[in-house]
Amino acid sequence: MNGLLLGYLFYRSGLVPRWMAMFGLVGGPLIFASAIAVLFGAYEQDGAHFFFSIPEIVFEASITIYTIVKGFKPSPILDDARYTGADTGALSPAVAAP
């Protein structure tokens, strides 16, 4: 569930490239379904479980490498200028002066 939630948040915010976030959106449900299948005895936790976890491994490794090398992209969600009309560095929405 962690990979799915993190992938969704990265996809919506645009902090990383979309292809990177898609690995989390695909890998999260795959590894979750694989863990449920192992729990109910569909197969052992061996090669098949590892095969389904590959997209999640790619997602976590790429996020780590990308943020160390390039950092996050600017995101409109985190932009204060949409509240104030200018980049003042304020954390709260601008209030009109009386």
Side-chain angles (χ1 to χ4, degrees):
M1 295 304 293
N2 187 21
L4 179 63
L5 179 62
L6 191 61
Y8 175 74
L9 292 173
F10 276 141
Y11 186 82
R12 291 285 296 169
S13 68
L15 293 173
V16 296
R18 298 281 187 203
W19 66 267
M20 212 177 286
M22 287 303 292
F23 273 107
L25 289 173
V26 170
L30 274 178
I31 202 165
F32 181 73
S34 178
I36 296 297
V38 168
L39 182 68
F40 285 109
Y43 52 84
E44 294 293 320
Q45 187 172 351
D46 54 4
H49 187 67
F50 176 74
F51 176 73
F52 288 120
S53 67
I54 290 174
E56 188 69 21
I57 292 169
V58 170
F59 170 65
E60 291 183 12
S62 64
I63 291 292
T64 303
I65 293 167
Y66 184 82
T67 54
I68 288 172
V69 173
K70 296 190 93 172
F72 289 124
K73 291 177 166 181
S75 174
I77 292 174
L78 303 174
D79 186 17
D80 285 335
R82 68 184 173 142
Y83 292 114
T84 61
D87 189 16
T88 62
L91 296 176
S92 60
V95 179

